[in-house]
Amino acid sequence: MTNAKHICGLAARHEHKFPFAPVRPLTFKNVWIAWCSISKYTPKCNHYMASTATVTAERRRHATLKHWWIIHPFSYARFLWDTFMMVIYLIAFLTIPFMICFVVMDYESILLDKVNVPIYAICWLDISFNCITGYYDKRDTRIELKLGKIFTSYLKGYFLPDVLSSFPYDHITLPWRRLPGDDSYHIVTLINILPFIKITRYLTLKTSMFYLFQHFEFKHFYYELYISLLLGWYLIFWFSCLCYLIPILIMMHFANISPMECTKCWMTGLEERTLTFRLKNAILIVLENILATGYGLFVPETDGHLILSSLVMLIGRLMMCYFLIIFLRVKAKKTLSETKFQEIMNEVEAYTRQKQLVPHMKKRLLAYYHYRFKNSYFREKQILSNLSETLREEIALEACRRLIENVAIFKNLPKHILQSIVNNLKFELYLPNEVIIKAGSHGDCMFFLSSGSVAILTPTGKEICHLDDGAYFGEIALLVADERRVASVVAIDICEVYRIDRKDFRQCIAIHSDLFAEIERIAIERVDKVIRAEKQHKRFLMRPSHVPNSLGKKMSVKKY
């Protein structure tokens, strides 16, 4: 099987990634339908829709609706609008609390919030789109596109908070607004802080970010880390705004105390009156309360300030615990395989103690696990067992890519023969000085050397040559029935080899005449070379004047 993308040869309508491409004729209705119908390229569609056939059926159902202007929740237009609203919420969660607390509720002069007026206008557009956008019913696992049910669902959800938090109340109530200490209207004061309700849309922001991270295929722990840091920053900023607002609200407006007489209000004692300086001091107070290091520059004296300080301290402890849990979860996910590997290594060490293995054997056993799993334990058979046969074959081919590139006889093989060979290869790892093949033993397999170096020795111990990456050996015993190994093969360093058994060898290689002939030719050359070297070495050993340590002398033989 190939990795090439399927190209359909049937005469079917091509779906473009961007909906405006295929619109013909270019009318408002056609453009609206193209943008607002379901698109398989949106993250929500990929999350909830199982197949292309399901998407097609959903598109047909949407096309038969009486109200053609209903927006599908999995449409490309809705995805872009949700992304745009995500940016708006990111800004609004900062500007709305700041402008309400530090500008609209200013205790020295009556000011107007002109920054958030465009945001309120955009929010009204969002309310309009929400009233005609379908939703996914998780209970019934279906998409609801009926107008009445859409509005009912929205009415039960965010409709009221969206409406109440999208008016510029400071402009509307301007004729009735008064400074604190001047018998201000309590109801007017409370109405002006209603836009604070907008922060209830934080869950919507979080959901939009989740799908955006999913769309760009970021790892989930990056999303968790980012959303946790964002929440921490918002909580600090919101409590800083409340730290400034509550004394003004309680002491000045409700208690009707003028700013000059309110000695318990910390903001009246500031040397500077700029908004930046006030915000910095409010943030400082909140940070010191969260970290439980103090109260800031001003010790709270009023009941409202004391309650807020206690609440901030409590939330600070909860935030630290929450961030610690998130950090540990992220760390645990990144080191899960390493932890499992360490558990296996502990079991191996316990095994060596139980069996009272000598230190040399214990060291080799631990070294094998280190080289085999490279500090990350995994159950390969369990992982591959859940995959389709095609995917398993592709993974096996990719895993043996280095072997295929190094072994010369594999380079010109047909794809199906190569795939058949790879499927029957079994991975083995040998440590330095381990005997892979012993001369004189019965052979029932051959080996392909993926990486490492091995030494070839005659039965009497004469070293003939070295084989490196891409070599193969042990094929002689498979060419002749009941043939014994004519040479020993010893690992010089760490060797990664792939073994193919006799029956698989005949099924995969023997049926390919050219490949079999090439292996047979090389095998005959090797047998002759081993026999000549063995005879020469025996004559050498029979000499009365031979030197005992000459057995280890290497012959200058060309590597093959």
Side-chain angles (χ1 to χ4, degrees), residues 102 107-108 244 265-282 285 297-298:
F102 289 90
Y107 60 88
E108 293 182 320
Y244 184 85
C265 298
W266 64 267
M267 66 285 302
T268 58
L270 295 177
E271 297 177 358
E272 295 184 27
R273 304 291 183 175
T274 61
L275 295 179
T276 305
F277 189 74
R278 293 176 183 179
L279 178 61
K280 286 180 180 179
N281 278 272
I285 293 172
L297 299 177
F298 305 93

Side-chain angles (χ1 to χ4, degrees), residues 225 234 241 264 349 370:
L225 186 61
Y234 275 143
C241 294
K264 296 181 179 181
E349 290 183 357
H370 275 292

Side-chain angles (χ1 to χ4, degrees), residues 384-395:
L384 296 177
S385 63
N386 296 321
L387 306 179
S388 65
E389 183 179 354
T390 303
L391 186 55
R392 281 199 300 269
E393 291 178 354
E394 292 178 359
I395 290 174

Side-chain angles (χ1 to χ4, degrees), residues 177 181 254 492 547:
R177 289 174 57 192
F254 291 169
I492 297 176
V547 181

Side-chain angles (χ1 to χ4, degrees), residues 126-265:
D126 184 56
I127 293 171
S128 303
F129 289 146
N130 290 338
C131 290
I132 59 174
T133 299
Y135 65 94
Y136 182 80
D137 191 339
K138 293 183 178 180
R139 186 182 63 181
D140 297 333
T141 64
R142 67 186 300 271
I143 299 170
E144 187 57 63
L145 296 174
K146 293 182 179 179
L147 188 61
K149 291 187 176 182
I150 291 172
F151 186 73
T152 302
S153 176
Y154 186 34
L155 195 62
K156 293 178 179 178
Y158 283 105
F159 178 77
L160 193 59
D162 284 349
V163 170
L164 291 178
S165 61
S166 299
F167 284 105
Y169 293 104
D170 55 315
H171 292 74
I172 297 173
T173 61
L174 182 60
W176 301 278
R177 289 174 57 192
R178 294 182 181 179
L179 292 174
D182 190 21
D183 294 327
S184 60
Y185 298 106
H186 297 171
I187 186 67
V188 174
T189 304
L190 293 176
I191 287 176
N192 277 280
I193 64 176
L194 281 179
F196 236 117
I197 302 175
K198 187 64 70 179
I199 64 176
T200 58
R201 275 290 190 174
Y202 176 77
L203 292 178
T204 305
L205 171 67
K206 184 179 177 181
T207 303
S208 298
M209 283 191 171
F210 170 77
Y211 286 115
L212 193 65
F213 273 69
Q214 191 181 65
H215 182 65
F216 290 105
E217 299 180 351
F218 291 119
K219 291 183 178 180
H220 185 68
F221 73 83
Y222 286 135
Y223 161 76
E224 290 185 343
L225 186 61
Y226 178 80
I227 208 70
S228 301
L229 294 175
L230 183 66
L231 176 61
W233 161 242
Y234 275 143
L235 287 175
I236 292 172
F237 186 83
W238 293 339
F239 277 111
S240 300
C241 294
L242 289 177
C243 181
Y244 184 85
L245 174 65
I246 288 178
I248 296 177
L249 201 62
I250 295 177
M251 298 300 297
M252 297 184 186
H253 285 281
F254 291 169
N256 199 29
I257 301 175
S258 65
M260 300 300 296
E261 299 174 355
C262 188
T263 57
K264 296 181 179 181
C265 298

Side-chain angles (χ1 to χ4, degrees), residues 445-513:
C445 61
M446 70 175 293
F447 298 88
F448 297 95
L449 184 58
S450 177
S451 66
S453 299
V454 297
I456 310 299
L457 297 91
T458 65
T460 56
K462 177 63 177 179
E463 188 171 357
I464 302 174
C465 65
H466 291 173
L467 298 178
D468 298 315
D469 299 4
Y472 59 90
F473 49 89
E475 76 287 354
I476 298 173
L478 301 184
L479 297 176
V480 182
D482 299 327
E483 180 71 17
R484 292 180 180 272
R485 300 292 192 183
V486 299
S488 296
V489 180
V490 180
I492 297 176
D493 47 23
I494 300 167
C495 294
E496 296 180 2
V497 301
Y498 288 88
R499 188 188 82 245
I500 185 168
D501 297 328
R502 182 188 297 275
K503 63 176 183 178
D504 298 325
F505 173 83
R506 294 190 177 278
Q507 292 176 357
C508 303
I509 296 178
I511 60 174
H512 193 273
S513 57

Side-chain angles (χ1 to χ4, degrees), residues 36-38 58 62 70-75 78 133-134 143 145:
C36 298
S37 62
I38 185 172
E58 182 63 23
H62 188 202
I70 294 291
I71 302 173
H72 199 283
F74 300 164
S75 63
R78 189 67 214 190
T133 299
I143 299 170
L145 296 174

Side-chain angles (χ1 to χ4, degrees), residues 56-71:
T56 304
E58 182 63 23
R59 185 180 294 110
R60 291 172 179 170
R61 186 174 77 91
H62 188 202
T64 59
L65 292 177
K66 176 182 178 182
H67 305 293
W68 56 266
W69 33 265
I70 294 291
I71 302 173

